Amino acid sequence: MTEARDIDILHFCRSQTLRHLMLMVRSPSEVINPLLFFLLVIVLFPLGLGPDPEQLSLLAPGILWVVALLSNLMICMRLFVDDLEDGSLEQLAMARVPLSIAVLPQLLASWLASGLLLSLVSPIFGLMLGLPLEVAPVLVASLLMGTAIMLLLGAVGAALTVGVQRGGILLALLILPLYVPILIAGTRALNEALQGGDPTVALALLGAGVTGGLLLAPLAIAAGVRVSLEL
Amino acid sequence: MYFESLAALWDMDGHGIYVWLAYLLTMCPIIVMVWLPIKRFRQHWRWIEAESRRSGIDVGGAAGESAR
Amino acid sequence: MTTALLEARDLSIHKGLRQLLKDVTLCVEPGDLWQLAGGNGIGKTSLLRSFARLASIEVYGDLSRCDDVLYVGHSASLKGAMTPRQNLKYHPSGLCTPTDTEIDGALAAVGLAGYENALTARLSAGQKRRVALARLFLPSGRLWLLDEPFTALDVAGVAVLEQRFRAHAQAGGAVVFTSHQSADLGGTLSVLDLEQFRGD
Amino acid sequence: MWRIIHQFGSPPWVYRFCDKVIPWLMPITIVALLVGSVWGLLFAPTDYKQGDSYRIIYIHVPAAVVALAGYYVMALAGLVSLVWRVKLADTAMRAAAPIGAAYTAIALITGAIWGKPTWGAWWVWDARITSMLILFFLYVGVIALFEAYENKSAAARACAVLTLVGTVNIPIIYKSVDWWYSLHQPASIKFTGESAIDPSMLYPLLLMIGAFYCLFAVTVLLNMRAELAWNHRDASWLKQLVQGT
């Protein structure tokens, strides 16, 4: 009998990341929609608050971050739904790799397709809100880390609500309170950069959030997935 | 007592309305929080009594496991 | 650790307040073929999922098993946007890292020789089921937990599968599968009728 | 060996525990509440800065303290039900969630009412009040998650995970809101009066906090007893109790 070859975690993670990236490339709407949503909602604010650049640039950090937060939430709503429906989540739980590590590839692929793109594109949207280009590096850095933490926390909510009908709204209710510190740190970083202050404190906090999230969130995601598989 | 008269207690030089409103809005939920589970428990208790009387099982005594 | 691949002692499974099954005892030795038989709704799938440890909240009792498990549930765990070859190569169960030749061999064994690069979404239900079952022909776990493996398969498919079960059992593996049809696997098959474990 | 640890705290044992504790804890709570309120309202001296409106502190602070403690109690019950798979911890968690949410709501309402005379506005984005508002949403999230699941055992497991995640995040939320508040509005008067509070005002406050803790315990036990009575309505041990009395 051919003994199943011993499982190599790194290889497993690489192949799963590839799998999810391939799936995302095959369904581009899943990648482009959050970006369009991000742009569309940003356009709403000048219409609502008036076109005057000074006022807008004052509110720009808050607007950019709130919109990034909402588009991240939208991504998390679709995170495990397809995999649960076609049974891939079940197989992931059966893999001999600990589930908390097995879910990471999917998060990495989702982050690459959403968080990364969002952060790289955000300076352009910032310009529309009167955000000077000098601030762009801080904006991109803070969004890169912020979207990573938001994806990790959102994945915890997604794992808990994937088994529930209309779990999307429930996910927002569960996760938005947890997004508050990220929003505060992110906007703080931008405001400090805008007023010539020192954004490194806020960026450091975001960095701590990423490392803390990477360590703790997968445990909760694995527990959440196991609960959703029971239903 | 700190206040000279009941009127002073009620008025609390202008802040009485807020203090008494706050106390009212605190004590009402607390009373509901205590009374509601008691009412629900009594309902369940009566339901179990009716249930066991209706099916006439002799639950207690040596019979032990209810003869269903 | 005993050589048993799976050992369950007075396992009881609940669904809400109702007890589905109680005192289920089963010992699966290498080389065994077990069929979990019983009417619909008796709890075949729940029992199999508890063996796979996918269901554990409302399951009480002792259960110990080897880690080397292959589980095929009702859903075919395939992605429509990927070809059968990619589905098997990047399968989330990650049981093994099959080479392309092994994958083509497995797909040929289940009768999908020409379909390696067709989009899985365009395959019929029976063909999708076969792609899922092609995993049995790749190097995989010693203990197989299969949920209704014979559904949506034609007579030829069933025969191929039964032959594979016998080969796997002889090679020291074990198969536990649920099916309400009676599979003619000859002497080696032992049937566990769940009627005897029906909860109150 | 995958083996479930013995069902610690079987339903009959906890039911009797509730029956034993409630009769003596309930009077203590009522007395403590009455004495504390009367003491705080009538006998405690007034505050020279805020005047008599500070007397709301005797319900605002205890409610806020117990609301936060309630979340940690719920998280503890969640941990026990996750790690030792004790069914009773699920009932405790389900009983504690609405009560904690109620206390948070009380703290928010009394905080808002207190804000009107002292700061002139019904809603003030003070650090304490904002964190309390987020805590309220955390509670509502746990209750909503519990109601969303049909299978209540899975619901308890999911809520256990959520409360544990929430517990890790609460200190972070509180600190980040303070940090946010300190940027926009340098520390004006601290809402809960960390400033040295005069003993004659402090004792009624401590008594009220104790009373609120007892009240929290009583209401949780009452809820658990009602929950148990319904969940085990056709269990023989409960029928014997009903018949027996």
Side-chain angles (χ1 to χ4, degrees), chain D residues 103-119:
Chain D
Y103 275 118
T104 326
I106 291 172
L108 284 171
I109 294 165
T110 48
I113 295 174
W114 191 3
K116 182 69 176 125
T118 42
W119 285 358

Side-chain angles (χ1 to χ4, degrees), chain A residues 1 43 60 68 72 81 90-92 97 102-103 118 121 128 145 155 164 166 170 185 195 198-199 218 227:
Chain A
M1 199 220 34
V43 163
N72 217 289
V81 173
E90 227 170 36
Q91 296 300 332
L92 205 64
V97 173
V103 290
L118 204 83
V121 164
M128 292 163 67
M145 293 188 277
V164 167
R166 292 179 309 285
L170 184 62
Q195 289 135 15
D198 162 21
V227 171

Side-chain angles (χ1 to χ4, degrees), chain C residues 62-141:
Chain C
D62 299 345
L63 168 73
S64 64
R65 66 161 170 79
C66 68
D67 294 336
D68 200 355
V69 169
L70 177 120
Y71 173 80
V72 175
H74 284 304
S75 42
S77 71
L78 302 173
K79 289 290 181 186
M82 287 158 70
T83 68
R85 175 177 287 168
Q86 285 163 341
N87 263 312
L88 291 176
K89 190 164 170 52
Y90 302 108
H91 200 268
S93 69
L95 256 185
C96 59
T97 49
T99 60
D100 280 357
T101 49
E102 280 169 338
I103 293 177
D104 294 350
L107 285 173
V110 286
L112 289 171
Y115 293 90
E116 286 84 2
N117 291 319
L119 275 185
T120 315
R122 290 205 184 80
L123 300 179
S124 74
Q127 287 167 327
K128 281 186 187 145
R129 192 74 196 154
R130 286 161 174 265
V131 174
L133 292 173
R135 287 173 55 209
L136 305 182
F137 293 87
L138 293 170
S140 54

Side-chain angles (χ1 to χ4, degrees), chain D residues 3-80:
Chain D
R3 207 179 56 72
I4 140 158
I5 294 175
H6 162 67
Q7 282 291 86
F8 163 73
S10 64
W13 178 82
V14 175
Y15 182 86
R16 274 190 213 85
F17 174 77
C18 291
D19 259 358
K20 268 209 299 293
V21 170
I22 289 175
W24 59 265
L25 189 55
M26 178 70 87
I28 288 181
T29 312
I30 295 171
V31 163
L33 270 177
L34 286 179
V35 168
S37 307
V38 166
W39 188 355
L41 272 174
L42 276 70
F43 295 98
T46 187
D47 179 272
Y48 63 92
K49 271 208 304 253
Q50 295 177 18
D52 281 313
S53 67
Y54 96 98
R55 292 180 195 279
I56 298 178
I57 189 176
Y58 293 119
I59 34 176
H60 172 70
V61 168
V65 164
V66 171
L68 190 59
Y71 196 91
Y72 285 110
V73 163
M74 214 168 48
L76 190 68
L79 187 71
V80 165

